[in-house]
Amino acid sequence: MEWEDDIFEPRQKRPVGRPEKNPFHTAECEEDFIRRSMAMVEMYYHPIPGKHTDYELAPKKRISKTLLWAMIYIYYLVEKGMDDNCTGFIKRVVCNLGNSVISDRPALSRSIKSLQNLYLSIDDAQLEGMKTDVKIPDAQKKARRKYRSQYVYVVKRWEECLGNK
């Protein structure tokens, strides 16, 4: 029996995940995002070698780039009605600011998922009024208080970059 080499073709690589489409619905929203992100990087991006907290929002308030961009992603997802497309979001940041200011997609996706599980974008009054099947354990409540205060502070700094919305 002879083998015919021409019938065996190597597999072609196919893209994995969601397509890289623009997550912003309007050009104005995307332009506002780009201008604010450039201002945030200019004002607050101060990396220190050996530390994971690259953004200094205040003298004693440093935050990692993964957490910062995850919070900004959640803010745009909830408040601005952006599509849930993390790859397109990262591509917009990398194209305009470079690779060093944002973390990789898997780390950012994990951070976004963990923050969304804490209902970060919902304030405490709304959370108390939710159905009883959305109970949050005590450990998650403590983590939620911490991350919620950071989220509010990051959103405040984000809006202060170029003035309010």
Side-chain angles (χ1 to χ4, degrees), residues 120-137:
L120 189 66
S121 59
I122 301 172
D123 64 356
D124 291 330
Q126 288 176 322
L127 191 64
E128 291 298 323
M130 290 176 81
K131 295 180 182 176
T132 56
D133 60 342
V134 188
K135 291 282 187 180
I136 298 177

Side-chain angles (χ1 to χ4, degrees), residues 142-157:
K142 185 177 179 183
R144 186 188 184 286
R145 278 193 295 272
K146 173 188 163 195
Y147 287 120
R148 172 74 182 162
S149 68
Q150 287 180 344
Y151 174 76
V152 170
Y153 194 76
V154 165
V155 168
K156 179 183 167 189
R157 289 291 186 209

Side-chain angles (χ1 to χ4, degrees), residues 58-152:
K60 292 199 176 199
K61 291 193 177 192
R62 294 188 67 88
I63 192 169
S64 71
K65 58 187 175 183
T66 305
L67 190 58
L68 177 96
W69 290 106
M71 289 180 178
I72 291 172
Y73 180 83
I74 290 172
Y75 170 71
Y76 268 82
L77 198 63
V78 173
E79 297 294 325
K80 305 287 186 174
M82 180 180 76
D83 288 339
D84 190 7
N85 187 351
C86 188
T87 306
F89 178 81
I90 292 172
K91 184 177 180 183
R92 296 299 178 275
V93 174
V94 169
C95 287
N96 293 296
L97 303 171
N99 252 347
S100 63
V101 299
I102 192 168
S103 61
D104 58 342
R105 192 190 65 77
L108 191 63
S109 295
R110 282 191 305 270
S111 184
I112 290 168
K113 182 173 172 61
S114 66
L115 291 175
Q116 284 178 332
N117 287 342
L118 293 174
Y119 298 99
L120 189 66
S121 59
I122 301 172
D123 64 356
D124 291 330
Q126 288 176 322
L127 191 64
E128 291 298 323
M130 290 176 81
K131 295 180 182 176
T132 56
D133 60 342
V134 188
K135 291 282 187 180
I136 298 177
D138 290 335
Q140 283 187 349
K141 284 182 184 177
K142 185 177 179 183
R144 186 188 184 286
R145 278 193 295 272
K146 173 188 163 195
Y147 287 120
R148 172 74 182 162
S149 68
Q150 287 180 344
Y151 174 76
V152 170

